[in-house]
Amino acid sequence: MKSTLFRALLASAALGLGATSAFATECIAPADAGGGWDFTCRQIGKILYDLKLVGQPVQVTNMAGAGGGLAFSHVVAERGKDADLIVAASSATTTRLAQNAYGGATADQVRFVGAIGGDPGVIVVAKDSPYQTLTDLVEAIKADPGSVAFAGGSAAGGFDHLKPLMVLKAAGFTDVAKVKYIGMDGGAEAITQTIGGFTQAMTGDMSEIVGFIKSGDVRPLAVLTSERVPGFEDIPTAKEQGLNVEVVNWRGLYVPKGISDDAFNAWAEKLQKVADSDEWKAVMASNGLAPFTKVGADFQSWVDGVVAETTELSKEIGVIQ
């Protein structure tokens, strides 16, 4: 009891003096190592420490399960007032909340601190795939919906699942229930499925597949952005191929709901400093991220709007009733 009280008093004093916390920050990545959430924790965590915004190296904990639901419920039920805890979040998080994939959990059970980068959606195939263009893949599905299976780092109906469905809808294909999708606990596992020939394509985010593109293990058919991504100008957009689809997965953080406003604002300030840093700009450039910064108190209301929009879109394409 005395130890807990001492920790609380010391943390409060540190915040009051504008100092960094004396305790190690933990960042939960709600997936296995190698995926987008893991990338978010490790990159933001490293820069937080490099910029001396935290007093010790950030501890990264991989907590895969239920497409992020295990981590979400853990934070809500057991870590609700932990001011030294941050959690990687993305468009996949809001998609699952919109589709009630977390067993009744809602976005207002945590506090969304902000997003500091946009991870462009991509569709890739193995290097020896017979599909040379996105059009080839779409036409194959139109001819025989069961001939192509997608792997993705989200659960069925999640954000990665929505990407190819949006592409197919733009191509005039409406029988989306027949499209095969295999959900994995993270992008690294999903891309392994495609490289190994267990699925014909992978739907994910640029940061998850950069290394595999550079190694030549996969061949990207399209990036789901309005323009080609700097540094990856050889990858055509879906728009160039006649399919008007843009899907960018924001990368950011949420924190426990029960922390103080001062603690929340301190995290928002730190995240903004990471976003403004040359180190983060270098990370974005080398990993194909696009600028996308929304930090602070208004981010939660933005998230609420996104959840509402995603719910409607999911109903429209038949993912939920």
PDB file of all heavy atoms in Angstrom, residues 112-117 250-252 271-272 275 292-300 302-303 306:
ATOM      1  N   PHE A 112      -8.367   7.903 -26.828  1.00  0.00           N
ATOM      2  CA  PHE A 112      -7.506   7.896 -28.006  1.00  0.00           C
ATOM      3  C   PHE A 112      -6.656   9.168 -28.017  1.00  0.00           C
ATOM      4  O   PHE A 112      -7.180  10.274 -28.064  1.00  0.00           O
ATOM      5  CB  PHE A 112      -8.341   7.787 -29.276  1.00  0.00           C
ATOM      6  CG  PHE A 112      -8.893   6.406 -29.508  1.00  0.00           C
ATOM      7  CD1 PHE A 112     -10.063   5.999 -28.887  1.00  0.00           C
ATOM      8  CD2 PHE A 112      -8.223   5.503 -30.327  1.00  0.00           C
ATOM      9  CE1 PHE A 112     -10.568   4.724 -29.081  1.00  0.00           C
ATOM     10  CE2 PHE A 112      -8.716   4.223 -30.529  1.00  0.00           C
ATOM     11  CZ  PHE A 112      -9.892   3.832 -29.903  1.00  0.00           C
ATOM     12  N   VAL A 113      -5.334   8.987 -27.954  1.00  0.00           N
ATOM     13  CA  VAL A 113      -4.408  10.111 -27.850  1.00  0.00           C
ATOM     14  C   VAL A 113      -4.187  10.793 -29.194  1.00  0.00           C
ATOM     15  O   VAL A 113      -4.151  12.010 -29.294  1.00  0.00           O
ATOM     16  CB  VAL A 113      -3.046   9.653 -27.286  1.00  0.00           C
ATOM     17  CG1 VAL A 113      -2.069  10.819 -27.223  1.00  0.00           C
ATOM     18  CG2 VAL A 113      -3.216   9.055 -25.911  1.00  0.00           C
ATOM     19  N   GLY A 114      -4.017   9.990 -30.238  1.00  0.00           N
ATOM     20  CA  GLY A 114      -3.788  10.603 -31.536  1.00  0.00           C
ATOM     21  C   GLY A 114      -3.240   9.644 -32.565  1.00  0.00           C
ATOM     22  O   GLY A 114      -2.888   8.495 -32.264  1.00  0.00           O
ATOM     23  N   ALA A 115      -3.178  10.133 -33.796  1.00  0.00           N
ATOM     24  CA  ALA A 115      -2.590   9.408 -34.924  1.00  0.00           C
ATOM     25  C   ALA A 115      -1.479  10.276 -35.501  1.00  0.00           C
ATOM     26  O   ALA A 115      -1.639  11.489 -35.618  1.00  0.00           O
ATOM     27  CB  ALA A 115      -3.645   9.120 -35.982  1.00  0.00           C
ATOM     28  N   ILE A 116      -0.355   9.648 -35.860  1.00  0.00           N
ATOM     29  CA  ILE A 116       0.762  10.459 -36.374  1.00  0.00           C
ATOM     30  C   ILE A 116       1.335   9.919 -37.682  1.00  0.00           C
ATOM     31  O   ILE A 116       2.448  10.259 -38.057  1.00  0.00           O
ATOM     32  CB  ILE A 116       1.884  10.607 -35.325  1.00  0.00           C
ATOM     33  CG1 ILE A 116       2.531   9.269 -34.989  1.00  0.00           C
ATOM     34  CG2 ILE A 116       1.343  11.267 -34.066  1.00  0.00           C
ATOM     35  CD1 ILE A 116       3.811   9.415 -34.181  1.00  0.00           C
ATOM     36  N   GLY A 117       0.553   9.114 -38.360  1.00  0.00           N
ATOM     37  CA  GLY A 117       0.999   8.650 -39.673  1.00  0.00           C
ATOM     38  C   GLY A 117      -0.079   7.827 -40.328  1.00  0.00           C
ATOM     39  O   GLY A 117      -0.897   7.195 -39.639  1.00  0.00           O
ATOM     40  N   TRP A 250      -4.523   4.702 -40.280  1.00  0.00           N
ATOM     41  CA  TRP A 250      -3.782   5.590 -39.395  1.00  0.00           C
ATOM     42  C   TRP A 250      -3.080   4.794 -38.306  1.00  0.00           C
ATOM     43  O   TRP A 250      -3.534   3.736 -37.886  1.00  0.00           O
ATOM     44  CB  TRP A 250      -4.692   6.662 -38.783  1.00  0.00           C
ATOM     45  CG  TRP A 250      -5.892   6.177 -38.024  1.00  0.00           C
ATOM     46  CD1 TRP A 250      -7.160   6.026 -38.503  1.00  0.00           C
ATOM     47  CD2 TRP A 250      -5.948   5.792 -36.635  1.00  0.00           C
ATOM     48  NE1 TRP A 250      -7.998   5.570 -37.511  1.00  0.00           N
ATOM     49  CE2 TRP A 250      -7.280   5.422 -36.358  1.00  0.00           C
ATOM     50  CE3 TRP A 250      -5.008   5.726 -35.616  1.00  0.00           C
ATOM     51  CZ2 TRP A 250      -7.694   4.989 -35.100  1.00  0.00           C
ATOM     52  CZ3 TRP A 250      -5.416   5.290 -34.352  1.00  0.00           C
ATOM     53  CH2 TRP A 250      -6.745   4.931 -34.113  1.00  0.00           C
ATOM     54  N   ARG A 251      -1.952   5.324 -37.867  1.00  0.00           N
ATOM     55  CA  ARG A 251      -1.161   4.697 -36.815  1.00  0.00           C
ATOM     56  C   ARG A 251      -1.096   5.628 -35.612  1.00  0.00           C
ATOM     57  O   ARG A 251      -0.730   6.793 -35.747  1.00  0.00           O
ATOM     58  CB  ARG A 251       0.258   4.434 -37.312  1.00  0.00           C
ATOM     59  CG  ARG A 251       0.344   3.413 -38.447  1.00  0.00           C
ATOM     60  CD  ARG A 251       0.128   2.014 -37.943  1.00  0.00           C
ATOM     61  NE  ARG A 251       0.107   1.029 -39.009  1.00  0.00           N
ATOM     62  CZ  ARG A 251      -0.289  -0.217 -38.849  1.00  0.00           C
ATOM     63  NH1 ARG A 251      -0.711  -0.610 -37.665  1.00  0.00           N
ATOM     64  NH2 ARG A 251      -0.287  -1.070 -39.851  1.00  0.00           N
ATOM     65  N   GLY A 252      -1.486   5.134 -34.459  1.00  0.00           N
ATOM     66  CA  GLY A 252      -1.482   5.985 -33.280  1.00  0.00           C
ATOM     67  C   GLY A 252      -1.590   5.203 -31.999  1.00  0.00           C
ATOM     68  O   GLY A 252      -1.233   4.019 -31.929  1.00  0.00           O
ATOM     69  N   LEU A 271       3.400  12.772 -28.011  1.00  0.00           N
ATOM     70  CA  LEU A 271       3.120  12.193 -29.323  1.00  0.00           C
ATOM     71  C   LEU A 271       3.274  13.241 -30.420  1.00  0.00           C
ATOM     72  O   LEU A 271       3.780  12.950 -31.518  1.00  0.00           O
ATOM     73  CB  LEU A 271       1.709  11.591 -29.348  1.00  0.00           C
ATOM     74  CG  LEU A 271       1.365  10.726 -30.563  1.00  0.00           C
ATOM     75  CD1 LEU A 271       2.317   9.549 -30.695  1.00  0.00           C
ATOM     76  CD2 LEU A 271      -0.076  10.227 -30.484  1.00  0.00           C
ATOM     77  N   GLN A 272       2.871  14.472 -30.131  1.00  0.00           N
ATOM     78  CA  GLN A 272       3.037  15.553 -31.098  1.00  0.00           C
ATOM     79  C   GLN A 272       4.521  15.816 -31.352  1.00  0.00           C
ATOM     80  O   GLN A 272       4.927  16.054 -32.500  1.00  0.00           O
ATOM     81  CB  GLN A 272       2.360  16.832 -30.596  1.00  0.00           C
ATOM     82  CG  GLN A 272       2.399  17.989 -31.592  1.00  0.00           C
ATOM     83  CD  GLN A 272       1.584  17.717 -32.842  1.00  0.00           C
ATOM     84  OE1 GLN A 272       0.387  17.441 -32.772  1.00  0.00           O
ATOM     85  NE2 GLN A 272       2.232  17.771 -34.011  1.00  0.00           N
ATOM     86  N   ALA A 275       5.739  13.214 -33.651  1.00  0.00           N
ATOM     87  CA  ALA A 275       5.258  13.495 -35.010  1.00  0.00           C
ATOM     88  C   ALA A 275       6.081  14.582 -35.689  1.00  0.00           C
ATOM     89  O   ALA A 275       6.321  14.526 -36.903  1.00  0.00           O
ATOM     90  CB  ALA A 275       3.788  13.900 -34.970  1.00  0.00           C
ATOM     91  N   PHE A 292      -0.095  12.109 -41.506  1.00  0.00           N
ATOM     92  CA  PHE A 292      -1.484  12.058 -41.043  1.00  0.00           C
ATOM     93  C   PHE A 292      -1.448  12.292 -39.543  1.00  0.00           C
ATOM     94  O   PHE A 292      -1.233  11.372 -38.769  1.00  0.00           O
ATOM     95  CB  PHE A 292      -2.115  10.698 -41.368  1.00  0.00           C
ATOM     96  CG  PHE A 292      -3.587  10.615 -41.054  1.00  0.00           C
ATOM     97  CD1 PHE A 292      -4.530  11.033 -41.979  1.00  0.00           C
ATOM     98  CD2 PHE A 292      -4.022  10.135 -39.828  1.00  0.00           C
ATOM     99  CE1 PHE A 292      -5.900  10.951 -41.693  1.00  0.00           C
ATOM    100  CE2 PHE A 292      -5.371  10.059 -39.532  1.00  0.00           C
ATOM    101  CZ  PHE A 292      -6.309  10.468 -40.462  1.00  0.00           C
ATOM    102  N   THR A 293      -1.622  13.549 -39.123  1.00  0.00           N
ATOM    103  CA  THR A 293      -1.462  13.896 -37.711  1.00  0.00           C
ATOM    104  C   THR A 293      -2.745  14.481 -37.134  1.00  0.00           C
ATOM    105  O   THR A 293      -3.233  15.512 -37.590  1.00  0.00           O
ATOM    106  CB  THR A 293      -0.315  14.908 -37.523  1.00  0.00           C
ATOM    107  OG1 THR A 293       0.885  14.371 -38.094  1.00  0.00           O
ATOM    108  CG2 THR A 293      -0.080  15.185 -36.047  1.00  0.00           C
ATOM    109  N   LYS A 294      -3.290  13.775 -36.142  1.00  0.00           N
ATOM    110  CA  LYS A 294      -4.426  14.267 -35.367  1.00  0.00           C
ATOM    111  C   LYS A 294      -4.135  13.890 -33.924  1.00  0.00           C
ATOM    112  O   LYS A 294      -4.187  12.726 -33.560  1.00  0.00           O
ATOM    113  CB  LYS A 294      -5.740  13.620 -35.820  1.00  0.00           C
ATOM    114  CG  LYS A 294      -6.193  13.988 -37.229  1.00  0.00           C
ATOM    115  CD  LYS A 294      -7.498  13.273 -37.571  1.00  0.00           C
ATOM    116  CE  LYS A 294      -7.931  13.539 -39.004  1.00  0.00           C
ATOM    117  NZ  LYS A 294      -8.317  14.925 -39.226  1.00  0.00           N
ATOM    118  N   VAL A 295      -3.799  14.882 -33.106  1.00  0.00           N
ATOM    119  CA  VAL A 295      -3.354  14.609 -31.739  1.00  0.00           C
ATOM    120  C   VAL A 295      -4.113  15.480 -30.751  1.00  0.00           C
ATOM    121  O   VAL A 295      -4.337  16.664 -31.005  1.00  0.00           O
ATOM    122  CB  VAL A 295      -1.836  14.861 -31.593  1.00  0.00           C
ATOM    123  CG1 VAL A 295      -1.388  14.677 -30.158  1.00  0.00           C
ATOM    124  CG2 VAL A 295      -1.045  13.925 -32.507  1.00  0.00           C
ATOM    125  N   GLY A 296      -4.522  14.885 -29.633  1.00  0.00           N
ATOM    126  CA  GLY A 296      -5.110  15.679 -28.566  1.00  0.00           C
ATOM    127  C   GLY A 296      -6.574  15.390 -28.301  1.00  0.00           C
ATOM    128  O   GLY A 296      -7.126  14.370 -28.716  1.00  0.00           O
ATOM    129  N   ALA A 297      -7.203  16.318 -27.596  1.00  0.00           N
ATOM    130  CA  ALA A 297      -8.549  16.101 -27.075  1.00  0.00           C
ATOM    131  C   ALA A 297      -9.603  15.883 -28.159  1.00  0.00           C
ATOM    132  O   ALA A 297     -10.596  15.189 -27.935  1.00  0.00           O
ATOM    133  CB  ALA A 297      -8.953  17.279 -26.192  1.00  0.00           C
ATOM    134  N   ASP A 298      -9.418  16.475 -29.344  1.00  0.00           N
ATOM    135  CA  ASP A 298     -10.438  16.337 -30.384  1.00  0.00           C
ATOM    136  C   ASP A 298     -10.334  15.009 -31.137  1.00  0.00           C
ATOM    137  O   ASP A 298     -11.200  14.677 -31.933  1.00  0.00           O
ATOM    138  CB  ASP A 298     -10.351  17.497 -31.377  1.00  0.00           C
ATOM    139  CG  ASP A 298      -9.024  17.527 -32.122  1.00  0.00           C
ATOM    140  OD1 ASP A 298      -8.061  16.936 -31.613  1.00  0.00           O
ATOM    141  OD2 ASP A 298      -8.971  18.160 -33.190  1.00  0.00           O
ATOM    142  N   PHE A 299      -9.275  14.235 -30.868  1.00  0.00           N
ATOM    143  CA  PHE A 299      -9.102  12.989 -31.607  1.00  0.00           C
ATOM    144  C   PHE A 299     -10.191  11.972 -31.262  1.00  0.00           C
ATOM    145  O   PHE A 299     -10.654  11.226 -32.122  1.00  0.00           O
ATOM    146  CB  PHE A 299      -7.713  12.399 -31.341  1.00  0.00           C
ATOM    147  CG  PHE A 299      -7.391  11.198 -32.190  1.00  0.00           C
ATOM    148  CD1 PHE A 299      -7.402  11.284 -33.576  1.00  0.00           C
ATOM    149  CD2 PHE A 299      -7.079   9.983 -31.605  1.00  0.00           C
ATOM    150  CE1 PHE A 299      -7.106  10.183 -34.361  1.00  0.00           C
ATOM    151  CE2 PHE A 299      -6.780   8.880 -32.388  1.00  0.00           C
ATOM    152  CZ  PHE A 299      -6.793   8.978 -33.773  1.00  0.00           C
ATOM    153  N   GLN A 300     -10.604  11.940 -29.981  1.00  0.00           N
ATOM    154  CA  GLN A 300     -11.656  11.005 -29.582  1.00  0.00           C
ATOM    155  C   GLN A 300     -12.945  11.257 -30.356  1.00  0.00           C
ATOM    156  O   GLN A 300     -13.589  10.310 -30.822  1.00  0.00           O
ATOM    157  CB  GLN A 300     -11.930  11.111 -28.077  1.00  0.00           C
ATOM    158  CG  GLN A 300     -13.003  10.146 -27.568  1.00  0.00           C
ATOM    159  CD  GLN A 300     -12.517   8.725 -27.430  1.00  0.00           C
ATOM    160  OE1 GLN A 300     -11.488   8.472 -26.802  1.00  0.00           O
ATOM    161  NE2 GLN A 300     -13.241   7.772 -28.008  1.00  0.00           N
ATOM    162  N   TRP A 302     -13.192  12.599 -33.278  1.00  0.00           N
ATOM    163  CA  TRP A 302     -12.930  12.160 -34.651  1.00  0.00           C
ATOM    164  C   TRP A 302     -13.087  10.650 -34.760  1.00  0.00           C
ATOM    165  O   TRP A 302     -13.697  10.141 -35.703  1.00  0.00           O
ATOM    166  CB  TRP A 302     -11.529  12.591 -35.080  1.00  0.00           C
ATOM    167  CG  TRP A 302     -11.182  12.224 -36.493  1.00  0.00           C
ATOM    168  CD1 TRP A 302     -11.483  12.911 -37.634  1.00  0.00           C
ATOM    169  CD2 TRP A 302     -10.466  11.054 -36.920  1.00  0.00           C
ATOM    170  NE1 TRP A 302     -10.997  12.247 -38.738  1.00  0.00           N
ATOM    171  CE2 TRP A 302     -10.377  11.114 -38.335  1.00  0.00           C
ATOM    172  CE3 TRP A 302      -9.892   9.977 -36.241  1.00  0.00           C
ATOM    173  CZ2 TRP A 302      -9.739  10.120 -39.077  1.00  0.00           C
ATOM    174  CZ3 TRP A 302      -9.266   8.987 -36.984  1.00  0.00           C
ATOM    175  CH2 TRP A 302      -9.186   9.067 -38.382  1.00  0.00           C
ATOM    176  N   VAL A 303     -12.555   9.932 -33.763  1.00  0.00           N
ATOM    177  CA  VAL A 303     -12.677   8.471 -33.738  1.00  0.00           C
ATOM    178  C   VAL A 303     -14.141   8.056 -33.689  1.00  0.00           C
ATOM    179  O   VAL A 303     -14.568   7.134 -34.389  1.00  0.00           O
ATOM    180  CB  VAL A 303     -11.897   7.886 -32.541  1.00  0.00           C
ATOM    181  CG1 VAL A 303     -12.305   6.442 -32.269  1.00  0.00           C
ATOM    182  CG2 VAL A 303     -10.398   7.958 -32.796  1.00  0.00           C
ATOM    183  N   VAL A 306     -15.551   8.256 -37.079  1.00  0.00           N
ATOM    184  CA  VAL A 306     -15.053   7.175 -37.933  1.00  0.00           C
ATOM    185  C   VAL A 306     -15.777   5.869 -37.619  1.00  0.00           C
ATOM    186  O   VAL A 306     -16.130   5.107 -38.528  1.00  0.00           O
ATOM    187  CB  VAL A 306     -13.528   7.003 -37.750  1.00  0.00           C
ATOM    188  CG1 VAL A 306     -13.036   5.721 -38.398  1.00  0.00           C
ATOM    189  CG2 VAL A 306     -12.788   8.193 -38.339  1.00  0.00           C
TER     190      VAL A 306
END
